Amino acid sequence: MSGFSADWLALRERYDVAARSAAVLDAVANAFADQGSIALVDLACGTGSTLRAIGSHLPPRQAWRLVDNDLSLLARASTLGRPPLVTVIAKPVDLARDLELALEGPLDLVTTSALLDLVSAEWLDRLIVEAAARRLPVYAALSYDGRTVIEPESRFDREVLAGFNLHQRTDKGFGPALGPIAAARAVERFAHFGFAVEQGRSDWVFAPDDRDIQDALFAGWAEVAALTTTLTAEEVARWCAERRAALAAGCSQLRIGHVDIFARPIGTR
């Protein structure tokens, strides 16, 4: 389940595309370079951004199963235009409960984006165990890893970001979330279950002109800070006003750390 609005997904998509690790995506492409077709399932697909981002790197004939529990997002994903050799089936599934159902049938690759930091250690192990049992490679992109740099610095940045990272560890529907440790945990657990893992950074980088997404992030962080920090409402409001003043002055820049991984069962393909 994505847990994100269509507006937020649309706002972030071009930054997600730019951020994806080229080295990891090359590893995915190379793994299937000798195939004429490929069958995939995209977990927590949202509006289908993973398909749009990586489809050109895969064999021309593609059969995608897009999985989410948000029917509105699935409807958008299933109606968007795509190349003639690409087929799409949109399937509503509660991934917290029915992950195994999402993975049934013939598949060559499991994909997901911006999901692993929202799930629990137990759910991650369920995914890895299922992938290992079925000998399925997994491409998991854009897992937030807690690294954030804001320029120019402002008072209370540290407290607000610490509060956000704390919130990232709360239950998002899969149990207590892994949050910033998700990518490192995934690399460790995939290796434990016999996968070779390629990893690379996929940081969001926002320049002064990227105002809309920065403003949305600041608003979200301020909302969370009111719940997870000892800052007063006045201090949070002051922080938000300072960040928006930097935006208006054209000097606000952000780097937010993410990690991509491609995990492949050793001895396959």
Side-chain angles (χ1 to χ4, degrees):
M1 48 191 177
S2 65
F4 299 122
S5 72
D7 288 343
W8 168 246
L9 294 176
L11 180 60
R12 65 175 285 173
E13 183 165 348
R14 70 183 179 97
Y15 301 105
D16 287 345
V17 171
R20 288 175 185 267
S21 166
V24 175
L25 193 48
D26 283 346
V28 175
N30 290 336
F32 300 97
D34 60 349
Q35 294 185 203
S37 63
I38 185 172
L40 314 89
V41 60
D42 188 36
L43 306 179
C45 67
T47 61
S49 63
T50 301
L51 184 162
R52 292 188 290 275
I54 75 171
S56 62
H57 299 266
L58 299 173
R61 190 175 299 278
Q62 301 167 25
W64 286 80
R65 181 189 308 157
L66 302 184
V67 173
D68 207 293
N69 75 334
D70 187 315
L71 296 181
S72 175
L73 297 181
L74 275 179
R76 289 172 181 254
S78 63
T79 57
L80 294 174
R82 56 188 52 86
L85 296 181
V86 176
T87 62
V88 172
I89 295 175
K91 187 170 184 177
V93 176
D94 181 345
L95 289 173
R97 185 187 64 197
D98 296 322
L99 170 63
E100 296 76 11
L101 178 63
L103 299 176
E104 68 179 3
L107 289 170
D108 298 302
L109 177 65
V110 178
T111 67
T112 191
S113 300
L115 175 66
L116 295 191
D117 48 289
L118 305 180
V119 307
S120 66
E122 292 76 15
W123 191 92
L124 176 64
D125 272 3
R126 279 177 62 197
L127 171 62
I128 296 172
V129 166
E130 285 297 317
R134 301 165 194 251
R135 307 294 290 168
L136 288 173
V138 178
Y139 170 58
L142 300 164
S143 296
Y144 172 65
D145 72 354
R147 293 177 294 111
T148 302
V149 177
I150 311 179
E151 296 178 356
E153 294 183 358
S154 178
R155 190 182 179 191
F156 304 130
D157 284 347
R158 182 172 300 179
E159 291 89 341
V160 170
L161 291 173
F164 175 71
N165 286 338
L166 181 64
H167 182 264
Q168 287 298 99
R169 299 298 301 270
T170 60
D171 190 339
K172 306 298 191 301
F174 297 86
L178 287 164
I181 69 168
R185 171 81 178 194
V187 169
E188 173 194 342
R189 298 303 286 164
F190 272 113
H192 175 80
F193 282 95
F195 288 74
V197 183
E198 177 90 17
Q199 62 178 309
R201 289 186 173 181
S202 51
D203 296 356
W204 275 346
V205 179
F206 303 135
D209 288 342
D210 299 314
R211 296 186 180 184
D212 289 345
I213 194 162
Q214 289 194 59
D215 187 59
L217 287 167
F218 294 149
W221 291 348
E223 184 177 351
V224 168
L227 304 174
T228 58
T229 73
T230 59
L231 297 175
T232 66
E234 291 75 16
E235 288 170 332
V236 173
R238 190 184 316 151
W239 174 84
C240 203
E242 290 176 0
R243 295 262 50 101
R244 283 173 167 159
L247 267 180
C251 60
S252 180
Q253 301 180 76
L254 282 177
R255 176 179 287 271
I256 302 177
H258 295 86
V259 177
D260 293 354
I261 67 171
F262 177 48
R264 196 161 45 140
I266 295 172
T268 62
R269 305 193 189 284

